[in-house]
Amino acid sequence: MPVVSHTQPTPTTDLLKAPMEICWNFDYAIDIEKLRNLYAKAKDAQWNAERDLDWDVALDPSRPIVDEAQFGFQALPVIQKLSKSQRETFTAHVACHLLSQFLHGEQGALMTAAALTHAVPDYEAKLYAATQTMDEARHVEVYQRYIDKLALVYPMSPGLKELIDATLTADHWVKIAIGMNMIVEGLALAAFHNMRRQTTCELLRKITENVLRDEARHVAFGSVYVGETIRDMHPDDREDVANFAFEAVKAMVDNQGGVDGRGKRRRDPGFLQVLASAEIDPKDFLQSLVEAQQAGLRVERPPGQVHSFKDLMMPALVRVGAVTDRTRELYAAEQIPVFEDASVLEAMENSATGVIEFEV
Ligand SMILES: [Fe+2]
Ligand SMILES: [Fe+2]
């Protein structure tokens, strides 16, 4: 048997070097009651993907598993002129592309949660982070199994990969918690919430509900633990953390074509494959987007959807003190609004199920 060096990347691996300090703690007393509660809650809420979900459901990969309104593309002229079956194929592939991002993002979350377990200084925070690590392992498992039924995995979007790489290779655990528990999980929580509302597949709805219940705890960890740590930091370190948050938010906003999604989006080879699968010329698609924007037509999301940036991400960052007076100026210079209303975020955290319903 040839010896494979663990430092050699293979076609399916990617190696990163992390500079973060790892922390032992021999004081086993629990001082942070809220973390003890979160850990207790997490232990009670463990579920088994194998046992608790009905995997026998057969899926037809060519049929949409979500309503096309979920993605808001149906108003685009390029989509309207497609035949019914082409539209269904397009929606099915867009959903598969999104689910693939869930899968890859969950693997990133699995690794960041493990990194938090290494690096957080408090014993009770290590216990909590270990439960998040197990949660994320289960999330990778369920999305992998579901995608397996669709028989197609799209590659990770370059923007998401870069954001998670920057988080994984950050030099302080607080940056990891900001990058994952607030920014990436803010994105994910909104996407899961919206997927749960729109899917026509009972198995996917059940998966998403189970995942959401776990994710609400992950976002709560940010508010319970990270806020206190940032408040106690030396001002220079606080600015360093705030700067990391700003850079991560800016990268995410740039990837998505600006705060309102109307600017130039970052090229995503996976999405080009989606267009090719539905026999849509990428140039026609782009042109249609530009024309729709010029005509004042927006790619509108249906009512009742959660907006990751406005409802979850920015309020979470403000709440923990990761937006400072200095970085407020940076956000203003980039015309990125600093949303502060944490009501949707808090409703999700306080809900036992992670699910909230809106009056629409
Ligand atoms: Fe997750
Ligand atoms: Fe998570």
Side-chain angles (χ1 to χ4, degrees):
M1 280 271 288
V3 177
V4 178
S5 162
H6 290 293
T7 56
Q8 292 303 311
T10 72
T12 59
T13 62
D14 191 16
L15 301 173
L16 305 172
K17 286 222 186 303
M20 187 179 59
E21 281 180 353
I22 291 171
C23 178
W24 277 90
N25 190 336
F26 297 104
D27 175 2
Y28 295 99
I30 290 183
D31 304 314
I32 309 171
E33 206 51 37
K34 284 182 177 168
L35 276 184
R36 182 217 293 266
N37 295 342
L38 213 50
Y39 176 56
K41 224 171 160 183
K43 281 189 296 181
D44 273 344
Q46 292 296 306
W47 47 281
N48 183 333
E50 185 82 45
R51 200 185 50 208
D52 300 347
L53 294 163
D54 177 11
W55 292 100
D56 290 338
V57 187
L59 287 180
D60 176 354
S62 66
R63 305 279 305 157
I65 43 173
V66 288
D67 189 291
E68 66 171 17
Q70 154 100 10
F71 303 114
F73 289 127
Q74 77 276 18
L76 292 176
V78 73
I79 303 300
Q80 284 188 338
K81 71 180 186 200
L82 298 179
S83 68
K84 186 168 179 280
S85 76
Q86 259 183 315
R87 257 170 93 143
E88 285 183 348
T89 305
F90 175 65
T91 306
H93 281 270
V94 174
C96 195
H97 179 265
L98 179 61
L99 286 168
S100 301
Q101 304 317 306
F102 287 1
L103 171 65
H104 304 311
E106 292 291 1
Q107 185 186 165
L110 169 62
M111 293 188 285
T112 58
L116 286 176
T117 314
H118 278 145
V120 284
D122 293 287
Y123 159 64
E124 56 271 50
K126 288 184 185 294
L127 295 183
Y128 160 79
T131 65
Q132 184 174 336
T133 308
M134 181 57 212
D135 293 345
E136 306 298 8
R138 199 167 43 231
H139 300 173
V140 179
E141 179 191 349
V142 286
Y143 285 116
Q144 188 280 325
R145 286 186 74 153
Y146 190 82
I147 283 182
D148 211 34
K149 285 180 174 288
L150 299 174
L152 181 62
V153 185
Y154 278 101
M156 193 169 187
S157 296
L160 181 62
K161 175 80 166 48
E162 267 178 31
L163 184 55
I164 297 184
D165 281 356
T167 300
L168 277 167
T169 55
D171 58 4
H172 196 288
W173 70 265
V174 166
K175 293 180 185 172
I176 294 193
I178 284 176
M180 180 50 70
N181 293 57
M182 293 175 205
I183 298 178
V184 177
E185 287 184 336
L187 268 179
L189 212 53
F192 293 149
H193 172 88
N194 300 335
M195 177 63 91
R196 175 192 161 269
R197 284 174 62 91
Q198 305 283 338
T199 184
T200 48
C201 171
E202 203 37 49
L203 172 59
L204 184 56
R205 177 175 299 112
K206 190 84 196 6
I207 287 174
T208 311
E209 279 174 358
N210 284 12
V211 168
L212 264 170
R213 216 165 46 217
D214 295 341
E215 295 297 347
R217 287 194 304 277
H218 306 171
V219 177
F221 170 73
S223 93
V224 168
Y225 193 51
V226 177
E228 211 166 294
T229 309
I230 292 179
R231 266 191 301 279
D232 293 342
M233 275 181 162
H234 183 280
D236 291 349
D237 294 334
R238 196 180 306 132
E239 286 302 340
D240 183 39
V241 162
N243 212 51
F244 175 85
F246 167 73
E247 293 293 344
V249 167
K250 183 175 174 329
M252 194 221 60
V253 166
D254 287 348
N255 282 329
Q256 300 203 335
V259 174
D260 60 1
R262 300 178 79 174
K264 199 162 179 273
R265 282 171 179 255
R266 177 158 181 185
R267 194 168 181 278
D268 177 352
F271 197 76
L272 293 179
Q273 284 177 38
V274 168
L275 295 173
S277 307
E279 293 170 26
I280 299 170
D281 182 333
K283 281 197 197 106
D284 286 352
F285 187 80
L286 264 182
Q287 185 61 26
S288 194
L289 267 182
V290 171
E291 282 167 14
Q293 283 164 3
Q294 282 166 354
L297 186 70
R298 299 195 48 179
V299 178
E300 288 291 358
R301 290 181 167 277
Q305 288 212 351
V306 170
H307 192 291
S308 58
F309 180 74
K310 178 167 163 281
D311 295 327
L312 303 175
M313 212 177 284
M314 290 313 293
L317 292 173
V318 171
R319 193 174 57 173
V320 297
V323 178
T324 59
D325 290 346
R326 191 187 58 84
T327 57
R328 267 180 201 273
E329 289 172 18
L330 300 177
Y331 287 104
E334 293 292 334
Q335 297 181 321
I336 299 174
V338 178
F339 294 104
E340 308 202 12
D341 178 358
S343 54
V344 171
L345 175 65
E346 281 163 8
M348 276 189 169
E349 287 168 348
N350 296 332
S351 144
T353 59
V355 170
I356 51 169
E357 297 292 352
F358 296 98
E359 297 291 326
V360 292

